[in-house]
Structures are given as C-alpha cells and as structure tokens.
Amino acid sequence: SAVISQKPSRDICQRGTSLTIQCQVDSQVTMMFWYRQQPGQSLTLIATANQGSEATYESGFVIDKFPISRPNLTFSTLTVSNMSPEDSSIYLCSAHTPENTEAFFGQGTRLTVV
Amino acid sequence: GNSVTQMEGPVTLSEEAFLTINCTYTATGYPSLFWYVQYPGEGLQLLLKATKADDKGSNKGFEATYRKETTSFHLEKGSVQVSDSAVYFCALSENSGTYKYIFGTGTRLKVLA
C-alpha cells in the first residue's frame, strides 16, 4: 500500500492568484494522478502526472491552467492558476503501484476562491 | 466511452436496516471495479474491489459481486450502523495500463440511530 500526504489541507484564496498543492507518497509509485471534486459532485480526472515529462491532461483541462510537476517517483505538485470562484473544489492526489490493483488517495485539498 | 452509473442519494436508513446501493457500468474490455467510501471531511478510502467477473469483494460487512452479464457491482450490507454514514463511490479502472479511474456520482448514506 501507499500513504499519500497532501498539503495544504485547505486554503481560501483571492481570485486571480495561484495555489500550488503538494503530494508526497511514502513509497515509489509508478503512476500519480490529480482529480477534482466539485461541490456535491463526483471525481473528475484532471491529468496523469508523468515522471520526468509533461503531464497528460484530460479533455477540458489544460496545462496553462493546471500546471503539474513530477520531479521524482514520490512527489508531485498541482498548481491552480489565475483562480476564479469556479475553481472552488476539493483537489485529490492519487497514486498507483504495480503491486496493487487499487489506487490510493490523499486526504484532499479543499480550495475556496473568493 | 466508459462510464459508471450510480443510484442517486441521499439514502436514509435506520440502524440495522439492509443497504443496497446500485451501480452499473459501461466498459470495453474487462475493467476492475471498486467501491470507495468518503467519510465527512476525509479523503477516499478503498472499501472493496473485484478484478474479474463473478468475484465478490467484501470488507467491514459490505459486499459487492462483479456481474458481467448485467454489468453491475451493487453494494450491500445486511445491517448498517450510524458509523456507516458517508458518501459511497462506485468506480472502474480500465485495465489498459493507464490505471485511470472513472467514478460514479456518489451516493450519500445517512444512518439514523
């Protein structure tokens, strides 16, 4: 299994600013992902964070808005850029190891944009 | 494309009642199926999983059987407790090496004492 720590756990930000969310895994993992959970809704995959290369974004999400880094096999960051109130969501980091069939999730970052 | 359809909530039950939360899926190939639970203010925790047809996942009194013929993975528990109050998500993972998850909309369960 893998334990995932996310920072910050929550934040309130002014519109037009950017926030970087950190995701640290306690072991090396092959795949890392970022999801968004809008209020009262399900999880939507933003992108796959690729180690050493550009992230792979899902339809509707772009690098300029959600730049992602993954410098090594245990760490990734997601930046929410030029925020608007519509970006208010929970952002979750997820990781997958080849030894397990299931993904593990961080506790999430609750973002409120005012 | 692949999708997961989950019964809408909220579901309100009395303690010790029987629980069923329906989940059906559409997928090409042979996905793995999961139920995740999200307690208030917390992240997602894996509740149970099934990786092939006719597999039964079980944990903490919850069960779900991977039914390929009906493309379903319904969650059941014989006797719910107040502590089971949470949001339950059905999900599938495409076994294509991408490990992407597709989630249902989530079902909020409230159990009353």
Side-chain angles (χ1 to χ4, degrees), chain B:
Chain B
N2 296 344
S3 66
V4 175
T5 302
Q6 198 174 331
M7 69 184 284
E8 292 199 18
V11 174
T12 303
L13 296 173
S14 298
E15 209 166 22
E16 299 184 2
F18 184 86
L19 168 71
T20 299
I21 300 178
N22 289 338
C23 172
T24 57
Y25 68 91
T26 302
T28 55
Y30 304 94
S32 294
L33 301 174
F34 307 86
W35 278 99
Y36 280 84
V37 58
Q38 186 176 37
Y39 297 104
E42 300 186 14
L44 270 71
Q45 301 175 27
L46 178 68
L47 181 60
L48 54 83
K49 65 182 180 183
T51 58
K52 62 183 187 296
D54 300 325
D55 268 3
K56 177 186 282 188
S58 61
N59 186 26
K60 300 181 181 179
F62 291 89
E63 292 183 342
T65 301
Y66 189 146
R67 302 280 189 204
K68 193 171 188 301
E69 64 277 11
T70 55
T71 62
S72 65
F73 193 55
H74 304 320
L75 182 68
E76 297 181 336
K77 186 175 186 182
S79 176
V80 294
Q81 306 301 311
V82 172
S83 57
D84 293 327
S85 298
V87 180
Y88 293 82
F89 291 95
C90 184
L92 71 82
S93 171
E94 305 162 352
N95 286 328
S96 58
T98 65
Y99 302 110
K100 294 180 184 179
Y101 275 54
I102 297 170
F103 284 86
T105 52
T107 302
R108 182 176 299 277
L109 170 66
K110 185 173 183 179
V111 181
L112 305 176

Side-chain angles (χ1 to χ4, degrees), chain A residues 49-79:
Chain A
N50 300 310
Q51 195 264 326
S53 64
E54 195 170 281
T56 304
Y57 290 84
E58 298 299 305
S59 176
F61 297 96
V62 295
I63 188 171
D64 290 346
K65 177 67 176 177
F66 297 102
I68 288 170
S69 78
R70 188 176 172 196
N72 56 51
L73 292 175
T74 64
F75 186 78
S76 178
T77 67
L78 168 74
T79 299

